[in-house]
Amino acid sequence: MANLHIVRSSGFTHNKLRQCLQTLMAADQIILIDDGVYNASHPDMMPLLNTHKVYALQDHIQARGLTPVPSGIELCQYDDFVALTIGSDKVITWQ
Amino acid sequence: MTTFAIIVSTAPTDNRTLTALKFAQALLTQGHQIEGVFFYQHGVINANVYLQTPSDEINHLTAWEAFYDVTKTPMHLCISAAERRGLTDSNTPGFSHNIAKNFTISGLGELVVLTNKAEKVIQL
């Protein structure tokens, strides 16, 4: 089973994104929420978009005017977020 | 149905607190169960009865209280974290009990119990 990483802070101002990426395993998934949605355009994220499933909460993307998001990032709702936590082995929050 | 425990560690001044509430509501709407919400670190400030916000902003205290009124989800407050931040359940002279009534005075031991009971623990 895979883990879900919830990234809640921007990689442009905090180092949590980097720490998250250091622990990321091959089958893990990432969801960007809150200021974590700024990572949608962070250089460190770009290589991951080909290898990992990356989601972003649509409400938070829109609230920050970040549309359109790079292809490879899937926008989701709270319901999908809940489903992701249930489908994962462990849920790790980076905030 | 999956059982959850939720840890809230963000202050009412932080918009991330609303994310936790919305996530909790989405869980229950989908028919899952929350064993308890554990307010820890700056999250305890959400339980201060003196919290006031401008009328066009969300008051996190009343929002969580309304959530409790509808769902009866246990809301645990880490008392050690709370006392460090000026909350008290004491009524002795010089103190005024300022923890909202829907919060249960708790400690990290309760978080251990919740972690044990719930299938998923989510920190938000």
Side-chain angles (χ1 to χ4, degrees):
Chain A
M1 285 261 278
N3 302 320
L4 178 69
H5 296 260
I6 303 174
V7 182
R8 305 189 83 189
S9 60
S10 165
F12 296 100
T13 50
H14 295 80
N15 66 352
K16 299 293 177 181
L17 174 67
R18 184 165 295 175
Q19 290 177 6
C20 166
L21 299 184
Q22 279 169 354
T23 62
L24 197 70
M25 313 254 276
D28 288 359
Q29 298 183 312
I30 297 176
I31 182 166
L32 308 174
I33 66 168
D34 302 303
D35 280 353
V37 295
Y38 287 117
N39 299 319
S41 55
H42 195 281
D44 290 352
M45 285 298 288
M46 295 307 130
L48 281 175
L49 300 181
N50 301 319
T51 54
H52 289 74
K53 196 79 196 159
V54 180
Y55 300 87
L57 206 56
Q58 185 166 23
D59 284 5
H60 295 174
I61 288 276
Q62 272 174 351
R64 290 163 181 81
L66 299 178
T67 49
V69 294
S71 62
I73 294 182
E74 189 174 323
L75 296 181
C76 70
Q77 311 294 335
Y78 277 96
D79 282 351
D80 308 311
F81 181 16
V82 169
L84 284 171
T85 62
I86 293 169
S88 307
D89 186 16
K90 295 187 189 72
V91 181
I92 303 158
T93 303
W94 302 90
Q95 70 178 17
Chain B
M1 189 199 74
T2 309
T3 56
F4 284 78
I6 294 176
I7 304 170
V8 176
S9 51
T10 52
T13 46
D14 191 326
N15 56 26
R16 289 181 293 186
T17 307
L18 181 62
T19 308
L21 180 59
K22 286 195 164 186
F23 181 81
Q25 287 166 334
L27 276 182
L28 297 177
T29 307
Q30 286 190 26
H32 303 296
Q33 188 185 325
I34 303 175
E35 296 288 352
V37 181
F38 190 85
F39 291 82
Y40 191 44
Q41 297 169 334
H42 285 334
V44 298
I45 304 171
N46 292 292
N48 190 328
V49 291
Y50 296 129
L51 275 183
Q52 295 191 48
T53 44
S55 58
D56 58 344
E57 290 179 21
I58 289 170
N59 182 320
H60 287 291
L61 169 64
T62 52
W64 281 105
E65 292 221 292
F67 174 74
Y68 176 84
D69 285 339
V70 174
T71 65
K72 300 296 176 206
T73 301
M75 301 199 301
H76 297 278
L77 185 80
C78 175
I79 189 62
S80 316
E83 285 178 337
R84 285 177 207 275
R85 291 166 178 82
L87 281 93
T88 179
D89 60 345
S90 169
N91 284 315
T92 56
F95 288 92
S96 63
H97 191 305
N98 61 346
I99 296 172
K101 65 178 187 330
N102 292 337
F103 291 83
T104 305
I105 307 293
S106 263
L108 282 178
E110 186 60 36
L111 179 59
V112 174
V113 173
L114 286 176
T115 306
N116 226 357
K117 267 205 282 191
E119 291 164 73
K120 294 274 175 199
V121 180
I122 316 281
Q123 184 188 1
L124 279 172

